Amino acid sequence: MIEVREVKTKKQRKEFVEFPLNLYKGNEYFVPPLYGDEMKIFRPDYMYYDQAEAVYYNAYRDGVIVGRISGILQHAANKKWGQNRVRFTRFDAIDDQEVADALFAAVEDWARQKGMTEIVGPLGFSDLEREGLLIEGFDQMNTFEEQYNYPYYQRLIENCGYGKDVDWLEHQLRAPKGGFDPRYRKIGDMMLQKYNLHFATARSTRQFIKKYANDIFEIWDETYEQIYGTVPFTERLKKEIVAQFGLLINKRYIKALYNEEGKLVAFGFVFPSISDAVRPSGGRLTLPCIFRILRSKYHPKVVDLAIIGVRDEYKNRGLPAAMLTELGDAMTDNIIEHAETNLNLEHNIPIQNAWKYFDAYQNKRRRCFIKRLGHSSGDFELR
């Protein structure tokens, strides 16, 4: 018999956060999130709880934890998209269908109690969190921004009645041998001249963010407004993002375009990869971990592409060509081995086409699953 308990005590919270660290101990591809950030999800004042609510469950067999899952009722997302959905996230389990059945039944019952009719995932509180189940690329190092999982997870989830909702693709990019196609670079240069655009400069990352933060969030909202799973920014979320990005961003990998009036019209962020930096400590910010993060920040060998945003009135004007060639030049100048794209929706043809100008190959695929809820409940003990 599997016993599912809602996470309420300090001991249960610790078990919830540490279960995947133990499950993936010794796995060379798993990259943990920051331990302190994971513990924050249990705080009543967590940054997303002004627009969402969540529940957390652990599964036990004979008193030993064998799995975990979380359900999120993202009110802002449901309002934006006109949906009645609960999201599942942070699903981890041993390879045992009984455990998966019990965990998903618990979240599904919670969703029904909230009056919801669908459950989707893996999705976090927003698209800034880890999302999607890895279904291809199990022999690839995960980026810090995304979650690794064992191949058997897909079978466990599908056996619980879930099917595909959407897929994301990930690519590994290298600067093209011999430089970028001159035609691609020429497109970017022509657009900069035509619209009198210039790349922004700043003495420091902090100065750049302070100067352009409001414009960045405005463009970000415009660019990703119709992207799957996105939610509106709150003022508190903006502050948290600025604080987190400030720790990771190196100004060499910030690219921003402004017009002759000094208005920001496009930006792109690249994060130095910290995957190797956080793995040895299990995501805990020990002094050696902090040292490794700083070394990765200023002397990266691998970078993760984060965000490219363009104001609506400048879309379809070739600006991504200018942004990507600038980022590609930065990779070459600073001896970057390769870049990881993170998640691109499979039907986002413009971004897929952009990668053809790099030495690129698709190295991962992730999936979001969906299930319409009926009225049945799993055969398990819930406490």
Side-chain angles (χ1 to χ4, degrees):
M1 172 70 79
I2 300 300
E3 180 185 1
V4 176
R5 301 176 189 169
E6 184 176 347
V7 175
K8 293 182 177 179
T9 69
K10 183 178 180 179
K11 179 175 182 288
Q12 290 169 341
R13 292 193 290 269
K14 188 171 184 289
E15 289 176 324
F16 184 93
V17 171
E18 294 185 359
F19 176 72
L21 302 181
N22 295 323
L23 186 66
Y24 291 93
K25 188 173 182 178
N27 185 290
E28 61 183 310
Y29 308 118
F30 173 77
V31 178
L34 293 181
Y35 189 91
D37 285 350
E38 286 299 279
M39 292 302 294
K40 287 179 183 178
I41 64 177
F42 300 111
R43 291 170 46 174
D45 63 346
Y46 185 51
M47 61 183 176
Y48 284 107
Y49 289 154
D50 56 354
Q51 60 178 195
E53 55 186 294
V55 67
Y56 304 92
Y57 294 113
N58 289 336
Y60 301 87
R61 178 182 282 134
D62 300 326
V64 177
I65 185 170
V66 289
R68 69 169 196 169
I69 199 169
S70 173
I72 297 172
L73 177 48
Q74 212 336 327
H75 298 288
N78 281 347
K79 180 179 180 181
K80 174 181 176 179
W81 298 100
Q83 296 167 336
N84 293 295
R85 290 182 166 183
V86 155
R87 303 174 171 199
F88 76 83
T89 185
R90 293 173 171 83
F91 166 68
D92 290 287
I94 62 172
D95 189 2
D96 188 314
Q97 192 64 50
E98 185 181 14
V99 174
D101 290 346
L103 286 168
F104 278 96
V107 170
E108 290 165 15
D109 280 353
W110 182 76
R112 292 186 189 94
Q113 292 169 21
K114 297 294 182 177
M116 298 297 104
T117 57
E118 295 178 329
I119 184 163
V120 297
L123 285 176
F125 288 93
S126 77
D127 65 323
L128 297 178
E129 289 206 314
R130 296 180 171 195
E131 57 188 356
L133 188 84
L134 188 68
I135 62 172
E136 295 176 9
F138 299 103
D139 60 347
Q140 300 287 307
M141 167 76 79
N142 237 56
T143 64
F144 174 73
E145 295 82 12
E146 302 304 336
Q147 183 75 10
Y148 184 83
N149 56 263
Y150 289 124
Y152 65 78
Y153 278 38
Q154 182 178 0
R155 167 171 44 83
L156 295 181
I157 292 173
E158 289 177 345
N159 286 346
C160 289
Y162 290 77
K164 174 184 173 180
D165 195 26
V166 70
D167 278 8
W168 294 273
L169 307 180
E170 298 181 56
H171 293 76
Q172 189 176 106
L173 310 179
R174 285 177 167 78
K177 297 175 182 177
F180 279 94
D181 185 330
R183 293 170 298 177
Y184 191 61
R185 187 182 296 276
K186 186 176 181 180
I187 291 172
D189 291 343
M190 288 175 58
M191 293 303 103
L192 296 187
Q193 294 175 15
K194 180 176 181 179
Y195 299 107
N196 198 15
L197 303 177
H198 308 275
F199 280 99
T201 58
R203 291 193 302 271
S204 67
T205 302
R206 179 176 296 180
Q207 182 199 54
F208 177 87
I209 293 176
K210 182 178 180 180
K211 183 176 181 179
Y212 293 109
N214 288 335
D215 286 336
I216 287 171
F217 284 114
E218 183 180 333
I219 296 171
W220 195 339
D221 260 336
E222 286 183 6
T223 304
Y224 295 92
E225 203 270 335
Q226 292 301 316
I227 297 296
Y228 182 92
T230 55
V231 298
F233 289 114
T234 64
E235 290 305 312
R236 183 178 177 192
L237 185 54
K238 291 178 183 179
K239 292 179 182 179
E240 293 283 349
I241 292 171
V242 168
Q244 292 176 4
F245 279 17
L247 293 174
L248 296 178
I249 291 178
N250 183 325
K251 70 173 184 176
R252 288 185 297 181
Y253 305 110
I254 300 173
K255 300 299 174 183
L257 284 169
Y258 64 97
N259 62 19
E260 55 189 348
E261 287 84 31
K263 183 179 181 181
L264 192 70
V265 300
F267 70 90
F269 289 157
V270 171
F271 294 150
S273 173
I274 62 170
S275 295
D276 282 329
V278 301
R279 290 178 68 240
S281 66
R284 293 174 172 85
L285 285 178
T286 61
L287 283 177
C289 178
I290 293 172
F291 175 78
R292 290 190 297 269
I293 289 175
L294 291 175
R295 184 173 57 191
S296 298
K297 177 177 179 178
Y298 294 109
H299 304 285
K301 296 297 183 184
V302 178
V303 293
D304 300 337
L305 301 191
I307 306 159
I308 293 179
V310 181
R311 285 193 187 276
D312 284 347
E313 62 264 37
Y314 286 89
K315 287 181 179 176
N316 303 315
R317 295 185 180 183
L319 298 194
M323 302 289 290
L324 290 172
T325 51
E326 278 285 311
L327 292 172
D329 289 344
M331 290 168 56
T332 302
D333 295 342
N334 294 287
I335 319 177
I336 301 300
E337 293 177 358
H338 69 266
E340 298 282 344
T341 66
N342 282 313
L343 276 61
N344 306 140
L345 286 165
E346 61 180 342
H347 58 259
N348 188 341
I349 304 304
I351 197 67
Q352 311 296 341
N353 287 338
W355 304 145
K356 69 183 181 183
Y357 293 100
F358 290 79
D359 178 9
Y361 80 97
Q362 181 195 325
N363 63 340
K364 299 171 199 162
R365 178 184 289 266
R366 296 181 186 275
R367 178 162 297 170
C368 183
F369 295 85
I370 186 169
K371 180 179 180 179
R372 271 76 182 181
L373 296 178
H375 301 286
S376 61
S377 178
D379 182 16
F380 63 97
E381 182 179 355
L382 176 61
R383 292 186 179 180

